[in-house]
């Protein structure tokens, strides 16, 4: 199988063979092998094609351990028996340094460690590369020869390209020890999960693929990929030219963009990427590979100026990738979706969801999800049933599978039987009847049995077209999440575009009030075009008002658009994530300044301007006396307030239902805030997800709240709860419970609702 290797001969790998390896790898990746078989075939293939005596793959395990998981050439009995610590032996050295290594005479190398079980005594030369993906070390790929050999740089490049493919496969998490690999279930089955948005759906599966990593690693048609690359570079060039022409930048800022232009046209850079594509990589993967190489080289330099430029290179690479993936994103939007689609994903951000034709999505299955995750909030506004907590979705479901979803019961039926389908359609009919009941209440006021009027508002942000036919009435928009329309645009919308968006929202709300919240980006709300810092705790990091106060132009543009959009009518502006009074004052002053400037420009101002705050950071609860002198209204964001009060990440599925907003500690805080607001004459409402759940909404009314803002889909159910409750009775009950019971009140309140005929769905 292998040709003879000449002593001291420079090891040659021509480009044709690299292409062939890629082709063979592509064939292997689509064939139906177990992960272990596939890895065995890959190392054998590499050994054969590179004409070496051994090829081995080590996989990184927890505890800084590398495990030999496949080999061709070493003793197979050593597989799963040979372990090396990070830094131990040549393999450990490659992993520790995260750099390729070529060693002509391994035995003479100071780091060499002999592992007898591998029977590698007769091997002399070694070349290896780390397997890295998303900056994480996944393993090491190494080749060895029995005779002394000088491996070429070309061979290292080939190994690096192969390691990219391996990295992709390893990241699927499939190469676990045999006993821990769950057999992929097949045929008809019932899978239990957690229903986050109740409802029923039957449809065909579409598996959502993330675009953060190259959408596709290998490509058949290199010429097509090169054309894609050149087109993307061209688009970036146009984009940079546009930025240079339209923004007022200082000299040093425009220098950066001028450097981008030089880079985009740099023949050496383009040639490297083209060469990588010719080896069989997709344009996307080639840009990432070369980008990583350039930044890795720059990291080794000591010159601080060059180090600072790493960021620029990463930004530039990011821009090229974004343009390359725009095709993929567009393809996702255009992807032929069944009319009844069940979208299946490991996890998903709100922006990714919005790439799809939402009208066709009838249900969603997520591996990871939680009640107050933004993607779930967006889904709820469209009333799409959603189930989360189903492990290994990629192994269970395939595109086109028939699935019945019972998100009310928390079950998914793969290839459902006729009986299951019948039962589900009965349930669907019941849900339809319930909806009809809510719709019939459309024109009735949300008044409790003892005559207290509750203002029911809706949370919005997506195109109102989606909500126009929700069939429920509302008093106003209590929370307009402005970041949602930002997620739908390719670039940061300018004042004119924003004005049009807000004007449309005001028009659609007719004469009802709309509370515009300034941008709350960061945390899990990511804008595709917005440079994002890597932060350990993004929810508690540089997000929301912290970011917009620092990027004042961004805030001012948005405030200016609010003022223009609301010219001649009432404007309500709310600032998110306020943590101290000074922050609110600063934001408020920015708005007042913007108003002055608008007036100076002769622009028509709104009839009135009310400025309020979100209360979602616990520190604000202890500054209410000062705060309430400054604000026109308060809206409690219970989603964030909960996560910060209980120190429990709202997007973490492992802990999301560990704490409950109906725990006395939380209810007492809500009551304190509302009582103080009432005393100060400042309107106070709740706009977190709890306001849209009938039992919680009932409780909030019992605590004294007169205004709630929720997902449009919840308006009917909450109105039914409000209309069937007696506020004073519940108030007295809550007063008793809050002073005596320290445990979760959910069950107590549920029984109260049942005993008192409160309709909680
Ligand atoms: C909240 O935190 O409760 C809230 C309404 O804001 P968001 O969910 O957008 O963070
Ligand atoms: Mg919030």
């Amino acid at each position: 199988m292998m040709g003879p290797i000449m002593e001291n001969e420079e090891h040659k790998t021509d480009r044709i063979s690299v292409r062939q390896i890629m082709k063979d790898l592509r064939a292997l990746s689509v064939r139906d092998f177990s992960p272990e078989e596939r890895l065995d075939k890959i190392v054998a293939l590499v050994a054969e094609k590179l004409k070496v005596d051994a090829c081995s793959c080590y996989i990184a395990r927890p505890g800084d351990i590398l495990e030999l998981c496949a080999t061709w050439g070493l003793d197979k009995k050593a597989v799963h028996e040979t372990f090396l610590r990070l830094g131990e032996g040549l393999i450990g050295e490659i992993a520790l340094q995260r750099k390729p290594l070529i060693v002509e005479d391994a035995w003479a190398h100071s780091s060499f460690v002999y592992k007898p079980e591998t029977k590698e005594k007769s091997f002399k030369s070694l070349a290896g590369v780390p397997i890295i993906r998303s900056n994480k070390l996944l393993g090491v790929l190494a080749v060895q020869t029995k005779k002394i050999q000088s491996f070429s740089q070309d061979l290292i490049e080939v190994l690096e390209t192969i390691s990219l493919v391996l990295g992709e496969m390893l990241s699927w998490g499939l190469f676990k020890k045999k006993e821990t690999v769950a057999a992929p279930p097949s045929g008809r089955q019932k899978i239990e999960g957690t229903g986050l948005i109740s409802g029923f759906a039957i449809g065909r599966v579409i598996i959502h693929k993330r675009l953060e990593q190259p959408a596709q690693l290998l490509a058949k048609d290199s010429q097509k990929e090169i054309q894609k690359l050149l087109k993307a570079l061209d688009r970036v060039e146009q984009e940079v030219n546009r930025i240079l022409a339209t923004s007022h930048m200082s000299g040093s800022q425009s220098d950066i963009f001028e450097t981008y232009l030089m880079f985009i046209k740099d023949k050496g850079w383009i040639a490297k990427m083209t060469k990588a594509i010719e080896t069989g990589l997709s344009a996307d993967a080639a840009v990432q590979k070369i980008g990583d190489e350039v930044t890795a080289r720059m990291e080794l330099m000591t010159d601080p100026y060059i180090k600072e430029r790493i960021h620029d290179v990463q930004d530039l690479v990011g821009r090229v990738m974004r343009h390359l993936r725009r095709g993929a994103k567009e393809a996702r939007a255009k992807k032929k979706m069944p009319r009844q689609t069940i979208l299946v994903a490991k996890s998903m951000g709100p922006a990714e969801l919005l790439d799809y034709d939402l009208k066709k999505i009838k249900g969603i299955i997520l591996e990871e999800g939680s009640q107050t995750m933004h993607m779930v909030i967006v889904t709820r506004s469209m009333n799409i049933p959603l189930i989360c907590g189903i492990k290994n979705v990629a192994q269970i479901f395939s595109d086109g599978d028939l699935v019945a979803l019972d998100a009310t019961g928390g079950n998914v039926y793969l290839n459902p039987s006729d009986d299951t389908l019948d039962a589900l359609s009965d349930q669907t009919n019941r849900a339809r009847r319930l909806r009809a009941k809510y719709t019939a209440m459309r024109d009735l006021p949300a008044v409790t049995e003892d005559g207290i009027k509750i203002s029911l508002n809706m949370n919005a942000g997506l195109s109102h077209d989606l909500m126009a036919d929700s069939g429920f009435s509302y008093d106003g928009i209590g929370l307009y999440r402005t970041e949602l329309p930002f997620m739908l645009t390719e670039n940061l919308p300018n004042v004119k575009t924003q004005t049009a968006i807000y004007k449309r929202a005001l028009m659609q709300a007719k004469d009802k009030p709309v509370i515009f919240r300034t941008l709350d980006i960061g945390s899990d709300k990511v804008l595709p075009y917005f440079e994002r810092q890597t932060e350990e705790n993004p929810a508690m990091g540089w997000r929301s008002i912290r970011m917009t106060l620092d990027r004042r132009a961004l805030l001012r543009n948005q405030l200016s658009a609010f003022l223009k959009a609301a010219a001649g009518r009432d404007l309500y502006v709310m600032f998110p994530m306020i943590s101290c009074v000074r922050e609110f004052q600063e934001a408020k002053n920015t708005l007042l300044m913007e108003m002055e400037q608008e007036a100076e420009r002769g622009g028509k101002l709104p009839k009135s301007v009310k400025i309020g705050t979100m209360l979602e950071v616990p520190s604000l609860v202890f500054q209410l006396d000062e705060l309430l002198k400054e604000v026109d209204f308060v809206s409690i964001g219970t989603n964030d307030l909960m996560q910060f009060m209980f120190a429990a990440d709202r997007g973490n599925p492992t802990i999301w239902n560990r704490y409950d907003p109906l725990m006395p500690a939380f209810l007492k805080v809500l009551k304190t805030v509302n009582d103080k607001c009432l005393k100060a004459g400042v309107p106070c409402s709740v706009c977190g997800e709890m306001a849209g759940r009938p039992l919680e909404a009932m409780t909030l009314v019992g605590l004294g709240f007169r205004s709630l803002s929720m997902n449009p889909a919840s308006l009917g159910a909450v109105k039914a709860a409000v209309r069937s409750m007696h506020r004073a009775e519940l108030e007295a009950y809550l007063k008793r419970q809050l002073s005596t019971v320290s445990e979760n009140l959910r069950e107590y309140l549920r029984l109260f609702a049942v005993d008192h005929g409160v309709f909680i769905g």
Side-chain angles (χ1 to χ4, degrees):
M1 190 196 290
M2 274 177 288
I5 295 167
M6 304 300 292
E7 189 106 23
N8 280 331
E9 181 198 44
E10 156 114 346
H11 195 272
K12 290 244 178 337
T13 323
D14 57 48
R15 203 176 287 174
I16 311 287
S17 71
V18 180
R19 254 203 96 63
Q20 189 55 46
I21 295 174
M22 286 301 165
K23 208 168 152 204
D24 294 346
L25 277 178
R26 199 181 312 121
L28 279 180
S29 66
V30 294
R31 298 265 305 274
D32 196 16
F33 294 124
S34 75
E36 285 75 16
E37 279 170 341
R38 183 170 294 131
L39 197 56
D40 281 344
K41 295 212 180 291
I42 290 174
V43 288
L45 176 83
V46 175
E48 181 198 354
K49 299 290 180 191
L50 298 186
K51 302 189 174 78
V52 290
D53 301 318
C55 174
S56 313
C57 180
Y58 293 79
I59 293 181
R61 298 292 186 210
D64 293 340
I65 301 288
L66 294 157
E67 176 185 347
L68 176 65
C69 283
T71 186
W72 194 95
L74 302 185
D75 195 326
K76 284 220 184 293
K77 290 199 203 88
V79 169
H80 299 313
E81 296 298 329
T82 296
F83 296 91
L84 289 156
R85 282 190 316 278
L86 220 63
E88 185 188 3
L90 299 173
I91 299 296
E93 197 63 27
I94 294 167
L96 183 70
Q97 302 287 342
R98 294 176 163 224
K99 279 199 304 211
L101 181 69
I102 297 178
V103 177
E104 270 191 34
D105 185 358
W107 286 84
H109 197 283
S110 57
S111 297
F112 181 71
V113 171
Y114 175 55
K115 291 277 177 184
E117 69 275 12
T118 59
K119 304 223 169 72
E120 59 180 339
K121 213 171 196 161
S122 53
F123 289 85
K124 297 279 183 329
S125 301
L126 177 143
V129 294
I131 304 170
I132 293 174
R133 189 174 185 272
S134 302
N135 221 7
K136 195 169 163 227
L137 178 88
L138 299 180
V140 171
L141 178 68
V143 293
Q144 289 166 275
T145 54
K146 289 186 173 166
K147 291 189 177 157
I148 296 259
Q149 181 79 50
S150 351
F151 289 117
S152 68
Q153 195 52 41
D154 268 4
L155 178 121
I156 289 291
E157 282 188 14
V158 175
L159 285 178
E160 279 181 330
T161 306
I162 297 167
S163 83
L164 267 176
V165 180
L166 274 174
E168 177 70 13
M169 291 178 178
L170 295 180
S171 72
W172 300 340
L174 301 176
F175 294 97
K176 298 195 182 114
K177 284 212 167 132
K178 268 209 170 73
E179 59 274 20
T180 61
V181 175
S186 59
R188 177 172 299 163
Q189 56 175 308
K190 175 180 168 188
I191 307 140
E192 285 178 21
T194 308
L196 287 188
I197 304 172
S198 53
F200 309 92
I202 295 163
R204 297 269 169 196
V205 163
I206 282 210
I207 306 276
H208 165 75
K209 293 188 183 72
R210 290 215 120 151
L211 300 179
E212 278 148 28
Q213 292 301 324
Q216 187 196 349
L217 212 70
L218 305 174
K220 253 190 204 156
D221 190 342
S222 298
Q223 281 318 311
K224 213 161 131 191
E225 292 301 299
I226 291 172
Q227 287 316 313
K228 260 165 60 181
L229 171 70
L230 297 178
K231 202 164 153 195
L233 289 174
D234 199 43
R235 280 177 166 174
V236 177
E237 189 180 340
Q238 286 172 25
E239 183 181 277
V240 173
N241 275 325
R242 213 169 32 242
I243 295 172
L244 279 167
T246 55
S247 52
H248 306 285
M249 284 186 281
S250 67
S252 59
Q253 281 171 322
S254 59
D255 281 356
I256 295 174
F257 286 98
E258 298 285 359
T259 319
Y260 282 12
L261 284 181
M262 270 168 52
F263 229 111
I264 295 166
K265 293 177 191 155
D266 183 76
K267 293 219 165 52
W269 195 49
I270 299 175
K272 275 203 173 94
M273 290 191 286
T274 312
K275 191 177 156 202
I277 293 175
E278 280 168 352
T279 65
L281 289 183
S282 66
D284 210 341
V287 174
Q288 195 171 53
K289 180 176 186 285
I290 304 304
D292 286 351
E293 278 173 21
V294 173
T295 46
R297 234 174 293 132
M298 288 167 86
E299 261 159 13
L300 294 178
M301 312 259 183
T302 46
D303 183 341
Y305 177 80
I306 296 200
K307 283 204 161 216
E308 273 171 30
R309 300 280 79 78
I310 290 179
H311 196 66
D312 301 340
V313 172
Q314 284 170 340
D315 180 40
L316 182 60
V317 167
R319 279 171 197 270
V320 180
M321 306 259 269
R322 184 153 51 78
H323 281 283
L324 278 170
R325 283 169 202 182
R326 196 158 86 176
K329 205 171 136 131
E330 280 161 6
R332 183 189 279 171
K334 281 192 215 126
K335 186 170 176 172
K336 211 162 158 23
M337 289 169 69
R339 280 175 46 164
Q340 305 277 117
T341 291
I342 306 289
L343 192 60
V344 175
K346 182 166 167 46
S347 95
M348 201 182 216
E352 289 171 296
L353 173 69
L354 299 178
D355 286 345
Y356 288 94
D357 180 351
L358 298 171
K359 284 192 227 73
K360 291 185 176 159
I361 300 181
K362 303 298 171 202
I364 298 178
I365 300 170
L366 289 183
E367 199 162 315
E368 297 162 5
S370 71
Q371 280 286 7
T372 54
M373 213 167 93
H374 283 103
M375 178 272 177
V376 176
I377 293 176
V378 170
T379 307
R380 192 174 292 119
S381 76
M382 292 173 291
N383 212 12
I384 300 173
L386 184 148
I387 288 190
C388 73
I390 293 179
K391 295 257 175 297
N392 301 325
V393 286
Q395 283 166 276
I396 298 174
F397 302 100
S398 307
D399 275 339
D401 279 349
L402 180 67
V403 155
L405 197 82
D406 166 14
T408 306
N411 294 314
V412 176
Y413 300 87
L414 177 59
N415 299 319
S417 65
D418 288 347
D419 287 349
T420 306
L421 289 175
D422 285 349
L424 277 195
S425 82
D426 283 352
Q427 305 253 42
T428 311
N429 288 337
R430 258 219 323 269
R432 206 171 286 141
R433 282 198 296 277
L434 205 56
R435 204 180 143 83
K437 173 187 160 103
Y438 298 150
T439 315
M441 275 194 256
R442 191 193 155 92
D443 298 321
L444 300 176
V447 177
T448 62
E449 282 184 348
D450 47 343
I452 307 293
K453 164 86 176 87
I454 307 299
S455 165
L456 297 188
N457 301 281
M458 106 179 161
N459 295 346
L462 283 172
S463 158
H464 275 57
D465 312 344
L466 287 166
M467 301 159 184
D469 63 348
S470 71
F472 307 121
S473 59
Y474 62 97
D475 296 308
I477 295 185
L479 166 63
Y480 185 96
R481 289 185 169 98
T482 55
E483 56 280 0
L484 295 182
F486 274 60
M487 285 175 183
L488 293 173
T489 53
E490 279 284 334
N491 295 300
L492 196 67
N494 58 19
V495 177
K496 197 168 158 211
T497 314
Q498 286 190 54
T499 308
I501 295 171
Y502 308 142
K503 222 181 210 161
R504 199 175 66 223
L506 286 165
M507 244 171 57
Q508 280 165 326
K510 305 214 169 73
D511 50 357
K512 293 172 188 156
V514 177
I515 299 181
F516 289 108
R517 182 175 74 179
T518 60
L519 270 184
D520 182 10
I521 41 178
S523 190
D524 64 341
K525 286 181 275 197
V526 185
L527 302 182
Y529 44 82
F530 211 82
E531 182 73 24
R532 194 179 179 185
Q533 295 186 342
T534 314
E535 294 180 297
E536 195 111 316
N537 287 303
M540 294 194 285
W542 193 57
R543 65 176 273 208
S544 201
I545 196 72
R546 301 165 183 187
M547 182 190 278
T548 51
L549 280 178
D550 289 352
R551 296 260 174 106
R552 204 58 71 95
L554 190 65
L555 180 62
R556 287 184 51 190
N557 282 349
Q558 184 167 41
L559 296 173
S560 164
F562 289 158
L563 291 166
K564 288 182 199 305
R569 51 179 292 175
D570 299 320
L571 171 65
Y572 296 81
V573 176
M574 174 157 75
F575 297 110
M577 278 292 285
I578 295 286
S579 311
C580 54
V581 180
R582 187 197 46 75
E583 235 165 25
F584 179 78
Q585 285 163 336
E586 218 179 315
K588 180 177 165 178
N589 287 339
T590 311
L591 173 56
L592 296 178
M593 244 174 56
E594 214 48 52
M595 263 171 80
E596 256 174 51
Q597 293 202 350
E598 187 65 23
E600 274 168 25
R601 283 194 292 261
K604 186 173 177 191
L605 289 178
K607 196 159 75 187
S608 74
V609 178
K610 297 265 186 292
I611 311 171
T613 184
M614 292 279 292
L615 191 147
E616 43 192 349
V617 180
S619 62
L620 221 48
V621 180
F622 302 93
Q623 303 170 67
L624 284 171
D625 292 337
E626 306 92 80
L627 183 79
L628 294 178
K629 289 184 199 136
E630 295 280 337
V631 299
D632 293 321
F633 61 91
V634 169
S635 188
I636 308 182
T638 47
N639 306 334
D640 275 317
L641 187 61
M642 269 283 290
Q643 81 163 338
F644 298 131
M645 265 200 53
F646 289 99
D649 181 349
R650 67 192 263 186
N652 184 335
T654 320
I655 48 161
W656 72 264
N657 59 0
R658 205 178 179 103
Y659 307 99
D660 193 318
L662 298 182
M663 284 176 165
F666 196 63
L667 295 180
K668 282 179 192 167
V669 170
L670 297 182
K671 186 163 164 44
T672 303
V673 176
N674 191 51
D675 287 353
K676 285 216 169 202
C677 286
L678 220 62
K679 213 162 145 207
V682 174
C684 178
S685 72
V686 174
C687 65
E689 290 306 288
M690 77 178 286
R693 294 195 286 269
L695 184 66
E696 282 86 334
M698 172 198 90
T699 310
L700 290 168
V701 172
L703 287 178
F705 285 92
R706 296 283 181 278
S707 171
L708 305 174
S709 193
M710 65 204 73
N711 257 287
S714 307
L715 285 161
V718 170
K719 190 191 270 187
V722 168
R723 287 182 57 80
S724 56
M725 72 179 284
H726 192 284
R727 196 201 64 91
E729 271 175 13
L730 178 59
E731 186 186 30
Y733 178 76
L734 269 171
K735 205 169 170 186
R736 262 197 323 277
Q737 298 299 337
L738 284 175
S739 59
T740 53
V741 181
S742 58
E743 61 203 80
N744 192 348
L745 291 185
R746 180 167 295 279
E747 196 48 25
Y748 293 82
L749 288 161
R750 198 186 63 75
L751 290 174
F752 176 93
V754 173
D755 291 348
H756 293 78
V758 184
F759 195 83
I760 50 167

